[in-house]
Amino acid sequence: SQKIEQNSEALNIQEGKTATLTCNYTNYSPAYLQWYRQDPGRGPVFLLLIRENEKEKRKERLKVTFDTTLKQSLFHITASQPADSATYLCALTDSWGKLQFGAGTQVVVTP
Amino acid sequence: DTAVSQTPKYLVTQMGNDKSIKCEQNLGHDTMYWYKQDSKKFLKIMFSYNNKELIINETVPNRFSPKSPDKAHLNLHINSLELGDSAVYFCASSHILADTQYFGPGTRLTVL
């Protein structure tokens, strides 16, 4: 069965450091992968989309990599700030064209 | 201007009641969705409509009935509410199916 796995444990990181989140998937052949941010009490907000033929994508302090051989995407937040504290979700399109979300990883950035 | 709006934001009701949640998007998108996020924060798709037509219908009890009067609106009606229906329901829209999703603020449903 198709599965998306993200670290369920919260990632606690000191301000200024780089946070790295992992998204592993099985039984998907995605054309692209998306990352979203969700703050408590709010809907997810789109951050980045990376296509299967792209190794890396950047947006300001965010960087995403996509390795279709390893079936893994890494999401990096460089020079992290307390305002980056949130839950980060990865999402993939399944065989039926539906977007499936991982359970998310909570990031806590402390000053 | 809010891109995707939902009403109400909070809904507290008794078991057995019928309730509706409304959603509107002003992004001009063709596709709209309903997602359910349970207490474990897992976000799961329920329905998807494209140009007012149902295209995705996950394994959801038939007590849940979506209705799309036009492509900017997708409402969710729930009959005979059960305790297990308590969750946060998110409406979303996208330009095409499975494209970048724009989510509403969510409706927290509590069934007592």
Side-chain angles (χ1 to χ4, degrees):
Chain A
S1 62
Q2 294 180 310
K3 198 183 286 187
I4 302 172
E5 291 180 339
Q6 295 186 254
N7 286 348
S8 56
E9 288 183 19
L11 179 64
N12 290 285
I13 191 159
Q14 199 173 12
E15 184 175 7
K17 302 289 187 188
T18 296
T20 299
L21 285 65
T22 305
C23 176
N24 294 307
Y25 59 91
T26 52
N27 295 323
Y28 282 89
S29 297
Y32 53 86
L33 182 147
Q34 303 182 46
W35 283 90
Y36 289 77
R37 167 184 173 141
Q38 186 173 21
D39 290 282
R42 293 179 176 262
V45 174
F46 170 75
L47 296 174
L48 280 165
L49 181 151
I50 185 164
R51 301 188 185 281
E52 59 178 340
N53 60 351
E54 297 175 314
K55 294 287 186 199
E56 183 180 296
K57 199 92 170 262
R58 290 176 187 259
K59 179 183 173 183
E60 296 171 355
R61 294 182 295 106
L62 306 179
K63 183 178 89 171
V64 170
T65 62
F66 192 15
D67 189 325
T68 55
T69 303
L70 289 179
K71 297 188 184 303
Q72 181 183 79
S73 175
L74 298 178
F75 179 85
H76 306 271
I77 308 171
T78 58
S80 58
Q81 303 168 0
D84 295 325
S85 298
T87 296
Y88 292 85
L89 308 163
C90 72
L92 290 167
T93 307
D94 70 11
S95 316
W96 294 271
K98 296 181 302 232
L99 199 60
Q100 304 282 13
F101 284 83
T105 299
Q106 185 185 8
V107 172
V108 179
V109 182
T110 50
Chain B
D1 266 351
T2 305
V4 182
S5 58
Q6 291 177 234
T7 53
K9 186 154 174 66
Y10 299 97
L11 190 50
V12 181
T13 188
Q14 299 285 334
M15 254 190 337
N17 283 350
D18 303 338
K19 289 293 177 187
S20 293
I21 307 172
K22 294 187 176 181
C23 177
E24 177 181 1
Q25 55 97 1
N26 62 7
L27 296 166
H29 287 161
D30 288 338
T31 310
M32 294 185 72
Y33 312 80
W34 278 109
Y35 287 87
K36 179 180 179 180
Q37 190 168 45
D38 59 26
S39 56
K40 293 182 181 175
K41 307 297 183 189
F42 191 62
L43 192 64
K44 194 167 160 72
I45 192 166
M46 299 172 70
F47 301 103
S48 176
Y49 269 72
N50 186 63
N51 277 321
K52 302 192 297 175
E53 290 202 21
L54 181 67
I55 52 171
I56 293 173
N57 185 351
E58 284 296 271
T59 310
V60 175
N62 57 14
R63 298 181 295 104
F64 289 79
S65 53
K67 283 192 173 51
S68 182
D70 56 61
K71 76 174 195 177
H73 295 84
L74 181 61
N75 304 322
L76 184 65
H77 188 75
I78 316 169
N79 289 327
S80 304
L81 278 156
E82 299 178 357
L83 293 176
D85 298 332
S86 295
V88 181
Y89 292 84
F90 287 102
C91 176
S93 73
S94 65
H95 181 54
I96 56 173
L97 182 63
D99 198 8
T100 300
Q101 312 272 292
Y102 292 80
F103 284 85
T107 296
R108 181 174 291 278
L109 172 65
T110 303
V111 183
L112 304 174

